[in-house]
Amino acid sequence: GSEGRNELSALKAKYDAATFLREIGMPHPDIISYPIPRLMHIREKYGENAQVMQPKEYLGVRLTGELFTDVWSWRGLAHGGKGAYSSLFMEEAGSPKLPLLKGCTDMLGRVTAQAAKETGLCAGTPVYTGLNDFFASLLGMGITEPGMLFDITGTSEHLGILLDEPALETPMVTGPCLRHFVHYGVTASSGASLKFGEGAFGKPDDVPQKETIRKAPVFLPYVNGERAPIFDSDARGMFFGIEADTTPEMMAYAVREGVVFSLYHIYTAMGMPKAEKMLVSGGASNDPVLNGLKSELFGMELLTPEETETSALGAAMTAAVGSGAFAGLQEAVWAFCRQKTAEKPRGELRSLLLERFSVYRELYPQVKETMKKFRRCANALCNIWSGQDRKRIYRTSALPCRY
């Protein structure tokens, strides 16, 4: 949705970069789901002093009766270095009632008798504060020192790198991350695009030969809109260059190539930071075609961890440290995080992929206004009809009408 778009524009028009750095320790990204614009929207809809919590915090309350959270789950409103919410932006957001802040390895509380009855957990089981899924995944991957590129696959994909200092001149997200700073971008539709491609054309087993790649169409993987680096919720997927002899194999390949191109697009927007290796986690980290393309296009060795569900592993690691099993998070990383080599670049396809990426990069700016017109037309059609007529149009039309 677009809830928070107007609030984000007003926020960034009112405050300069220096204010954001002082108050939240980072430049404010052009993302409407960050806390301040979203809370400003909540204030307009529900009034001031609203009680707000994220799913992780709601579960914590249901399990323990205690409402606490970690500073990293509220990055963009809480300052990671100071360990506190910004009073200036709390007031700007309508002084919402938010969870109190604790360290990520601190004990949140213990499972209550009522929660034990509802869940089957043992009463008195300690519950630790933990991290949000992104930071937990970085921890579970062992990304605790600068220098290695990371790619967290899933419904969306996070591609970035840890730095010693924030990357201030960037259209991507940059901010504190535990003891360092993280610089990254997030896609919106990677997982949905892969699901669409597999359902429509099947799943390729290997990277095809050069001639197949050369004849394949180029795909924009924006089926649910896109975040970084174009930040356009009206964007939609598109195939370009279909010919009479285009095969399902070529279409299946094009979808995977488009997802990889979306990551490389973020990488170029980040300024192409130097790295020798990329660590990939999540469900798509076991896909040989994606791994092969990423290694070739980025020109670096690609690694996957032994445990690819790194968000869950990172959460378990915070609890292990909190319980006293390890002295600190770095010690837990040494104990839990193991990597395996997945792919090394051969260099055979990189020039061809870069040539095709240049086409990919030029496509959306050329069709952006037409796509917005298409979206307005689709939405207007959906608003005209109701009930069974709307369902009939949804079944028989190519327009993405939702009901």
Side-chain angles (χ1 to χ4, degrees):
S2 60
E3 295 88 353
R5 175 60 59 192
N6 293 336
E7 290 83 358
L8 176 61
S9 298
L11 181 73
K12 298 196 76 172
K14 184 175 180 179
Y15 296 102
D16 60 14
T19 302
F20 287 116
L21 284 172
R22 183 185 70 246
E23 293 293 324
I24 62 175
M26 61 184 292
H28 198 290
D30 289 323
I31 301 178
I32 59 178
S33 60
Y34 260 58
I36 305 172
R38 184 53 56 89
L39 289 171
M40 291 170 68
H41 178 77
I42 290 172
R43 178 194 62 194
E44 292 301 315
K45 189 171 184 179
Y46 298 103
E48 296 193 354
N49 300 306
Q51 176 71 69
V52 181
M53 65 183 74
Q54 299 182 52
K56 177 172 83 76
E57 296 141 14
Y58 175 75
L59 289 174
V61 169
R62 292 298 303 271
L63 288 172
T64 69
E66 302 290 342
L67 182 54
F68 290 94
T69 192
D70 66 290
V71 67
W72 310 109
S73 293
W74 283 91
R75 68 193 187 284
L77 177 61
H79 193 300
K82 299 176 181 177
Y85 296 115
S86 163
S87 57
L88 171 65
F89 289 124
M90 283 286 284
E91 184 176 349
E92 187 75 49
S95 302
K97 298 175 182 177
L98 301 183
L100 298 176
L101 297 173
K102 279 191 172 187
C104 65
T105 61
D106 289 344
M107 190 169 74
L108 177 68
R110 295 182 180 275
V111 174
T112 64
Q114 179 61 33
K117 181 179 179 180
E118 294 175 353
T119 64
L121 296 171
C122 294
T125 300
V127 179
Y128 296 89
T129 307
L131 296 158
N132 74 333
D133 56 351
F134 171 52
F135 280 82
S137 188
L138 290 180
L139 181 61
M141 294 170 80
I143 303 289
T144 56
E145 297 295 334
M148 183 180 290
L149 204 65
F150 63 80
D151 173 23
I152 305 171
T153 71
T155 305
S156 59
E157 287 198 45
H158 293 65
L159 184 127
I161 193 168
L162 285 194
L163 302 171
D164 287 317
E165 299 291 339
L168 300 181
E169 299 298 324
T170 177
M172 300 296 100
V173 182
T174 184
C177 177
L178 301 177
R179 296 183 297 110
H180 298 284
F181 294 87
V182 66
H183 183 202
Y184 69 99
V186 189
T187 70
S189 302
S190 296
S193 293
L194 293 174
K195 183 177 180 180
F196 156 75
E198 291 175 15
F201 311 112
K203 185 176 181 179
D205 296 324
D206 201 357
V207 177
Q209 298 297 314
K210 277 187 178 181
E211 287 310 307
T212 301
I213 294 175
R214 201 180 302 276
K215 288 180 63 63
V218 173
F219 177 67
L220 297 182
Y222 306 152
V223 296
N224 288 330
E226 184 58 300
R227 285 183 277 193
I230 66 171
F231 299 105
D232 190 347
S233 59
D234 285 327
R236 287 299 181 269
M238 185 179 80
F239 287 100
F240 177 80
I242 297 175
E243 300 182 7
D245 59 349
T246 297
T247 65
E249 177 192 12
M250 294 175 186
M251 301 289 276
Y253 164 78
V255 172
R256 272 167 165 66
E257 181 192 68
V259 169
V260 175
F261 281 170
S262 71
L263 299 173
Y264 197 73
H265 200 181
I266 290 173
Y267 184 58
T268 60
M270 290 169 56
M272 303 179 72
K274 292 183 179 180
E276 296 181 356
K277 299 178 181 180
M278 177 192 294
L279 184 61
V280 183
S281 70
S285 64
N286 293 314
D287 187 300
V289 177
L290 290 171
N291 288 347
L293 290 174
K294 289 172 185 177
S295 182
E296 282 286 278
L297 183 59
F298 283 83
M300 60 183 69
E301 184 180 12
L302 185 145
L303 307 173
T304 55
E306 290 184 358
E307 174 53 67
T308 58
E309 298 302 326
T310 49
S311 290
L313 178 59
M317 290 163 65
T318 60
V321 173
S323 68
F326 299 97
L329 292 175
Q330 187 59 59
E331 186 176 310
V333 165
W334 293 332
F336 280 98
C337 299
R338 299 285 185 272
Q339 298 170 6
K340 58 183 180 182
T341 300
E343 192 77 33
K344 290 186 177 182
R346 297 187 293 271
E348 300 170 357
L349 300 176
R350 190 161 194 263
S351 60
L352 175 58
L353 291 174
L354 287 172
E355 182 181 346
R356 288 172 61 82
F357 174 74
S358 69
V359 176
Y360 169 94
R361 192 169 184 173
E362 292 175 10
L363 276 177
Y364 194 68
Q366 299 294 326
V367 302
K368 181 176 180 179
E369 293 307 315
T370 305
M371 188 68 75
K372 288 185 179 296
K373 182 178 179 181
F374 172 76
R375 294 294 298 152
R376 289 195 298 269
C377 177
N379 291 335
L381 186 62
C382 286
N383 292 332
I384 290 173
W385 300 88
S386 61
Q388 294 303 314
D389 287 327
R390 186 179 295 181
K391 293 180 181 180
R392 176 177 58 81
I393 290 175
Y394 181 83
R395 290 195 298 268
T396 61
S397 172
L399 295 176
C401 177
R402 298 179 179 179
Y403 64 93

